[in-house]
Amino acid sequence: MDFSQRLTQRANLIEAHLRDVLGDAVAESTPECGPEARRLAAALHDAATNGGKRIRPLLVIECAALFDVDENACLNAAAAVECVHCYSLVHDDLPCMDNDELRRGKPTIWKAYDEWTAILTGDALLTLAFEILVRAATHPSSKTRLALVATLAKASGAHGMVQGQALDLAVSKRGEPKTPTITSTKTLQALKTGALIEAACQFGGLLGGGDQQALSNLRNYGAALGLAFQISDDLLDLEGTPEDVGKATGKDTADGKATLVGLLGKDEARLELDRALKNANAAVDGFGAKAVVLREIADFIAKRRH
Amino acid sequence: MDFSQRLTQRANLIEAHLRDVLGDAVAESTPECGPEARRLAAALHDAATNGGKRIRPLLVIECAALFDVDENACLNAAAAVECVHCYSLVHDDLPCMDNDELRRGKPTIWKAYDEWTAILTGDALLTLAFEILVRAATHPSSKTRLALVATLAKASGAHGMVQGQALDLAVSKRGEPKTPTITSTKTLQALKTGALIEAACQFGGLLGGGDQQALSNLRNYGAALGLAFQISDDLLDLEGTPEDVGKATGKDTADGKATLVGLLGKDEARLELDRALKNANAAVDGFGAKAVVLREIADFIAKRRH
């Protein structure tokens, strides 16, 4: 199985599992409320099963594979990370945030439904992530399940992703800080994008019962990957077409967002991307031949065109 | 200590604990991002420590007291429930939902900051709730901590509170169902308000290691209390002044919301409220004299004027 086949196979596996999980989550429990009771359910489905690349759940599975954990034993944890990612997209797309009408080539949730449904859909997906993680099927060890919740909550809350989005919007909507620096922008991106990618890698280590050194290596891999992901995303926003990318492009510049590509220039940003790729690979050196897929993922992220 | 003193003492205890928890949650970890890094922190503080009655955390503490659990051993679990309650208020107040500018006599978060900050503040509070629950300090048993997460997630997500809010907005914004019934409205309210109150009561039982029968009794108590709470809230919306209630009144009627008071009429609604109060008391009969405070809470909720 080559890398692109693997990517497709894993994405299909995750998508199928998300459908299962959501099927349970939104089973018709309130028939007396009529067809409206299914509206939130439909929005949840649209938000979570719209054919994303599923990079974060892929990272959970492949990092766990370092410890010989079967992919099927990772699916709940992988789905939980993806639920958080999908919730963040639904909220970020709202008119009062990034005001995006297109996501993965389809209307965003607020556009297809309305704003309040989009906010509630995000809220429900975030809640579902934690509901999934504590299920016995997620991991046999109670301590591991608790560690998964702690890791995901820390990565996605006021110390992580939410703070990153707040800092990003502060730049574009409030003009603060007035002169974003490379350091402040890297911190912002590490929180907004890196934290959840790092958590996905840590998830693999936790599921596999990795020691402190292994977990730390996976965190470093995830951090470098997050930076690479963000730079390549910025480059796509600048150079891609909406058809390639599946969403509006050229928006970061128009919105006055702080990007590393904007601050460094395209050439220096490409060098920074190369360095991030090297750092990602170096972090998983100790896993030897087992880390071949992790190196392929890093390469894919650095060179992606959509 | 009489009931009103107890209410004040518990509310102060909870408020102080929320301040502690939030102090940790928003400690300055990104100095390179300048003062904007503290904006989300400030909004979180405003959203969670604005002097609510703290009924839900009170229920956690008093239900746990049935099993002789010390109030200080309940504070993390109680704070987590209150974080979820506060997040729901921040999101519900948004212009695209209930469009409220006043909450507990102060400007709502979107009014004091802006809409995107309010959405992110709610997201961060919801995430924080789960982060708090898995801490070792929350309960010595891993299994209990997992049960707390499962209970809170189920009560607040697409099977609980979020679905309740979606159904409520479907009535007021989409005119669906066209003719709300007493049954559909009761289900809606049970999800929107009852589920979290029920979870708070269950939390007490879980912290105290109660058996299935005790947990079931506490759930019934919480469900009856939730109904009483909603009817008294509807009556306040109809009869109270904004000064008494600390928020705009007369809104439910203006917004075309389905309320039991609207469907039943005021007199029949008062009878329904009395029945709910009786059911709440009956559910905790088995706890005997220990349940005196739970009976006082039910009485307070049924007869509250603010």
Side-chain angles (χ1 to χ4, degrees):
Chain A
M1 185 158 63
D2 72 10
F3 182 72
S4 113
Q5 287 171 321
R6 181 182 289 261
L7 199 63
T8 306
Q9 184 266 338
R10 298 288 201 244
N12 291 341
L13 194 67
I14 286 293
E15 181 117 356
H17 193 68
L18 281 167
R19 284 182 198 279
D20 283 353
V21 165
L22 287 168
D24 293 344
V26 296
E28 184 60 83
S29 57
T30 52
E32 64 274 36
C33 296
E36 283 298 311
R38 291 212 62 75
R39 195 160 177 270
L40 180 66
L44 276 159
H45 265 278
D46 290 353
T49 62
N50 61 356
K53 291 185 294 294
R54 314 300 186 187
I55 294 287
R56 290 157 196 80
L58 175 72
L59 286 167
V60 175
I61 292 172
E62 298 301 345
C63 290
L66 296 173
F67 308 90
D68 301 317
V69 180
D70 182 77
E71 59 185 13
N72 290 301
C74 302
L75 289 177
N76 267 0
V81 173
E82 190 66 5
C83 282
V84 169
H85 175 57
C86 292
Y87 120 72
S88 77
L89 298 181
V90 173
H91 281 189
D92 288 0
D93 285 340
L94 285 163
C96 70
M97 295 219 214
D98 297 345
N99 194 25
D100 274 311
E101 303 190 356
L102 209 59
R103 166 74 62 187
R104 295 173 185 164
K106 292 173 191 147
T108 49
I109 300 297
W110 74 266
K111 191 76 186 164
Y113 296 81
D114 43 49
E115 289 179 46
W116 59 266
T117 303
I119 294 171
L120 294 175
T121 298
D123 293 347
L125 279 172
L126 173 58
T127 311
L128 180 61
F130 296 107
E131 195 179 338
I132 296 171
L133 286 183
V134 294
R135 291 182 190 169
T138 299
H139 195 275
S141 151
S142 297
K143 290 222 154 70
T144 300
R145 302 209 293 282
L146 290 168
L148 293 172
V149 172
T151 301
L152 188 60
K154 184 157 190 285
S156 51
H159 271 313
M161 188 179 71
V162 169
Q163 173 75 318
Q165 176 69 353
L167 291 172
D168 202 18
L169 291 170
V171 176
S172 60
K173 297 201 183 279
R174 296 171 38 79
E176 294 288 349
K178 289 192 177 44
T179 47
T181 63
I182 291 168
T183 316
S184 74
T185 306
K186 273 195 180 173
T187 300
L188 183 166
Q189 307 286 19
L191 292 166
K192 183 177 170 169
T193 311
L196 193 60
I197 291 177
E198 240 183 273
C201 298
Q202 268 187 279
F203 262 39
L206 290 168
L207 292 171
D211 60 19
Q212 285 307 316
Q213 184 59 54
L215 286 172
S216 159
N217 290 339
L218 289 174
R219 263 200 307 278
N220 291 337
Y221 169 78
L225 211 60
L227 180 61
F229 192 91
Q230 192 58 50
I231 297 175
S232 71
D233 210 52
D234 293 347
L235 288 168
L236 279 176
D237 183 70
L238 211 63
E239 300 174 339
T241 67
E243 290 69 33
D244 290 343
V245 185
K247 61 181 179 182
T249 55
K251 282 202 77 226
D252 291 344
T253 314
D255 289 351
K257 290 211 168 189
T259 72
L260 284 175
V261 177
L263 288 166
L264 295 167
K266 268 199 255 184
D267 293 344
E268 184 57 32
R270 280 191 202 289
L271 291 176
E272 182 81 24
L273 177 57
D274 286 344
R275 278 192 294 270
L277 181 58
K278 281 204 188 76
N279 288 340
N281 287 329
V284 293
D285 239 11
F287 296 110
K290 283 202 160 180
V292 57
V293 182
L294 296 188
R295 282 186 277 271
E296 287 176 329
I297 294 174
D299 211 50
F300 169 77
I301 282 177
K303 292 172 187 160
R304 74 206 172 98
R305 285 289 163 271
H306 59 87
Chain B
M1 185 157 64
D2 72 11
F3 182 72
S4 114
Q5 287 171 324
R6 181 182 289 260
L7 200 63
T8 307
Q9 183 266 339
R10 298 288 201 243
N12 290 340
L13 194 68
I14 287 292
E15 181 117 355
H17 192 68
L18 281 167
R19 284 182 198 280
D20 282 353
V21 165
L22 287 168
D24 292 345
V26 296
E28 183 59 84
S29 57
T30 52
E32 64 275 34
C33 295
E36 282 298 311
R38 291 211 61 75
R39 196 161 177 270
L40 180 65
L44 276 159
H45 266 278
D46 289 353
T49 61
N50 62 355
K53 291 185 294 294
R54 314 300 186 189
I55 294 288
R56 291 156 196 81
L58 175 72
L59 286 167
V60 176
I61 291 172
E62 299 300 345
C63 290
L66 296 173
F67 309 90
D68 301 317
V69 179
D70 183 77
E71 58 185 13
N72 290 300
C74 302
L75 289 178
N76 267 1
V81 174
E82 190 66 6
C83 282
V84 168
H85 175 57
C86 292
Y87 119 74
S88 76
L89 298 181
V90 172
H91 281 189
D92 288 0
D93 285 340
L94 284 163
C96 70
M97 294 219 214
D98 297 344
N99 193 27
D100 274 312
E101 303 190 357
L102 209 60
R103 167 72 64 188
R104 294 173 185 164
K106 292 171 191 147
T108 49
I109 299 297
W110 74 266
K111 192 75 187 167
Y113 295 81
D114 44 50
E115 290 179 46
W116 59 266
T117 303
I119 294 171
L120 294 175
T121 298
D123 294 346
L125 278 173
L126 173 57
T127 311
L128 180 62
F130 296 107
E131 195 179 337
I132 295 171
L133 286 183
V134 295
R135 291 182 189 168
T138 299
H139 195 274
S141 152
S142 297
K143 290 220 153 72
T144 300
R145 302 209 293 282
L146 289 168
L148 293 172
V149 172
T151 301
L152 187 60
K154 184 156 190 286
S156 52
H159 271 313
M161 189 179 70
V162 168
Q163 174 74 321
Q165 175 69 351
L167 291 172
D168 201 20
L169 291 170
V171 176
S172 59
K173 298 203 183 278
R174 296 171 39 78
E176 292 290 349
K178 289 192 178 44
T179 47
T181 62
I182 291 167
T183 317
S184 73
T185 305
K186 272 193 180 173
T187 300
L188 183 166
Q189 307 287 17
L191 292 166
K192 183 176 170 170
T193 312
L196 193 61
I197 290 177
E198 240 182 274
C201 299
Q202 269 187 279
F203 263 40
L206 289 168
L207 292 171
D211 60 19
Q212 285 307 315
Q213 184 59 54
L215 286 172
S216 160
N217 290 340
L218 288 175
R219 263 200 307 277
N220 292 338
Y221 168 77
L225 211 60
L227 180 61
F229 192 90
Q230 192 59 51
I231 298 175
S232 70
D233 210 52
D234 293 347
L235 288 169
L236 279 176
D237 184 69
L238 211 63
E239 300 175 339
T241 66
E243 291 69 33
D244 289 343
V245 186
K247 61 181 179 183
T249 55
K251 283 201 78 228
D252 291 345
T253 314
D255 289 352
K257 290 213 169 188
T259 71
L260 284 176
V261 177
L263 288 166
L264 294 168
K266 267 199 254 183
D267 293 343
E268 184 57 32
R270 282 192 202 287
L271 291 176
E272 182 82 24
L273 178 57
D274 286 344
R275 278 192 294 270
L277 181 59
K278 280 203 190 76
N279 288 340
N281 287 329
V284 293
D285 240 12
F287 296 111
K290 283 203 162 180
V292 58
V293 181
L294 297 187
R295 281 186 276 271
E296 287 176 327
I297 294 175
D299 210 53
F300 168 77
I301 283 177
K303 294 172 187 159
R304 75 205 171 100
R305 285 288 163 270
H306 59 89

